[in-house]
């Protein structure tokens, strides 16, 4: 993979967490890229990501760091590409939110509401919409853009069209010229940001309706927002298409083995399988051309298959690992951080306390040092 940005975001403590553990948190900020994870059950671990957003971070910080380069790169690549390049080589982009239920994935993606919310609280989606339209305004008169929005949900490995709930088992096809396609998926044309927001809100509303019909919680399905951006050149009459996907994943929490049965257990297994498949695909892509990098297991889940064009090849991907800062959720937070670290090929390093380090340095013994060492150890 050319480029994956991995960030961690810690939401503020919830009132339930405050009830359980007061103001206690299991992370300690080092700087904007590094923090220490501390918990009674594990050793202290130092994690570094491309950026860490703490509880005071704002939605605009997340957009600027994580999504804006993808949206702008999208436009710039389009200007720079020569027209004899295959349309499929256009730059695609994917922004993914990962984490346990309640960790802030939907808040990061949508904000508190798509249509009505405080400007500062707007999520990635409305900001991406604005970004896309800003970029198209910069185009010269030889380029014409058309933008379409699709929304699908994956539940129990079935793909459902959120603009037409009767299409509840969309098939994934691959064509040589158009790449991965969702057969019969609705594509809603959007001509301006206002229309885009209304369309998004319709899809989100349909998601809730579908879930009530099926009695499923939204946290148990993956939701994919697909912006298809087509640029037509009036100079040579050629069109080029790129996709920008935003993915609000199903909650990554482990379901207790005891207690879960029937559908809940099946849901948990299916989600786990698709999230592992996503991790494996990202891992294989970041391995590069050597090692395991040659076989990319896209076919292991519907999620990775749909994201195939957007993740592989000429694409940019950003992963936002959403976490709770509370000891109440420390095991799930650790599991989310591990996923992020694995995607980035970063090893968490156990923190070496200052005293330990001094003692270790003294291990090249000289009589004086040995004496000092013994003193320190006692
Ligand atoms: P998820 O989609 O991961 O299940 P949500 O995004 O629905 O979680 O967040 C759970 C709750 O926490 C919501 O009430 C949401 O408003 C709140 N929340 C999440 N992240 C933040 C944040 N960064 N700042 C303020 N509130 C947040
Ligand atoms: Mg959610």
């Amino acid at each position: 993979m050319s480029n994956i940005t991995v960030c961690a975001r810690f939401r503020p403590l919830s009132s339930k967490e405050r009830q359980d553990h007061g103001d206690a948190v299991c992370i300690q900020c080092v700087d904007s890229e590094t923090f220490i994870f501390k918990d009674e059950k594990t050793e202290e671990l130092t994690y570094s990501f491309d950026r860490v957003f703490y509880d005071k971070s704002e939605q605009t910080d997340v957009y600027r760091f994580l999504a804006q380069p993808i949206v702008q790169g999208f436009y710039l690549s389009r200007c720079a590409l020569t027209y004899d390049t295959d349309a499929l080589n256009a730059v695609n982009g994917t922004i993914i939110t990962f984490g346990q239920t309640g960790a802030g994935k939907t808040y990061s993606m949508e904000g508190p509401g798509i249509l009505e919310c405080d400007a500062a609280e707007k999520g990635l989606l409305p900001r991406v919409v604005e970004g896309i339209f800003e970029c198209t305004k910069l185009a010269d008169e030889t380029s014409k853009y058309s933008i379409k929005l699709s929304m699908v949900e994956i539940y129990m490995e079935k793909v459902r069209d959120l603009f037409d709930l009767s299409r509840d088992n969309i098939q994934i096809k691959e064509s040589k010229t158009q790449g991965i396609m969702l057969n019969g998926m609705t594509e809603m044309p959007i001509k301006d940001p206002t229309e885009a927001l209304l369309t998004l809100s319709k899809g989100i509303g349909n998601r809730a309706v579908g879930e009530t019909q099926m009695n499923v919680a939204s946290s148990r399905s993956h939701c994919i927002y697909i912006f298809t951006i087509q640029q037509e050149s009036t100079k040579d009459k050629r069109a080029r298409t790129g996709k920008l996907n935003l993915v609000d994943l199903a909650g990554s929490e482990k379901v207790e083995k005891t207690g879960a049965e029937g559908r809940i257990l099946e849901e948990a297994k299916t989600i786990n399988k698709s999230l592992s498949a996503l991790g494996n695909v990202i891992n294989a892509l970041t391995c590069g051309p050597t090692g395991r990098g040659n076989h990319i297991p896209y076919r292991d889940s519907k999620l990775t298959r749909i994201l195939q064009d957007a993740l592989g090849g000429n694409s940019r991907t950003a992963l936002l690992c959403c976490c709770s800062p509370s000891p109440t959720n420390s095991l799930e937070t650790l599991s989310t951080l591990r996923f992020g670290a694995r995607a980035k090929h970063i090893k968490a390093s156990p923190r070496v306390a200052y005293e330990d380090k001094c003692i270790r340095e003294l291990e090249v013994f000289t009589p004086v040092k040995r004496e000092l060492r013994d003193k320190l150890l006692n």
Side-chain angles (χ1 to χ4, degrees), residues 13 69 82 85 89 131 199 202 249 255 363 372:
L13 286 166
T82 54
T85 315
N89 285 339
T199 312
K202 187 175 165 200
L249 290 172
V255 168
E363 264 161 12
L372 202 59

Side-chain angles (χ1 to χ4, degrees), residues 96-99 157 222 249-254 267-286 292 295-305 307 311 319 335-336 338-340 342-343:
I96 304 169
T97 54
F98 180 93
E157 286 299 276
H222 309 298
L249 290 172
S252 58
E253 60 273 8
K254 312 260 177 312
E267 270 181 3
K269 279 193 202 156
T270 319
I271 293 168
N272 194 24
K273 198 165 156 249
S274 61
L275 293 178
S276 307
L278 178 65
N280 292 339
V281 163
I282 293 177
N283 241 17
L285 287 164
T286 46
R292 290 195 307 120
H295 172 68
I296 316 288
Y298 293 114
R299 287 179 180 270
D300 286 1
S301 76
K302 293 267 164 69
L303 177 68
T304 47
R305 189 96 172 100
L307 296 179
L311 286 172
L319 177 68
S335 142
T336 300
R338 284 201 186 113
F339 184 90
R342 199 164 74 103

Side-chain angles (χ1 to χ4, degrees), residues 97 100-107 110 207 218-219 221 248-251:
T97 54
Q100 75 179 114
T101 299
K105 298 181 295 297
T106 305
Y107 178 85
E110 295 174 13
R207 190 180 184 201
S218 72
S219 60
S221 64
D248 187 350
L249 290 172

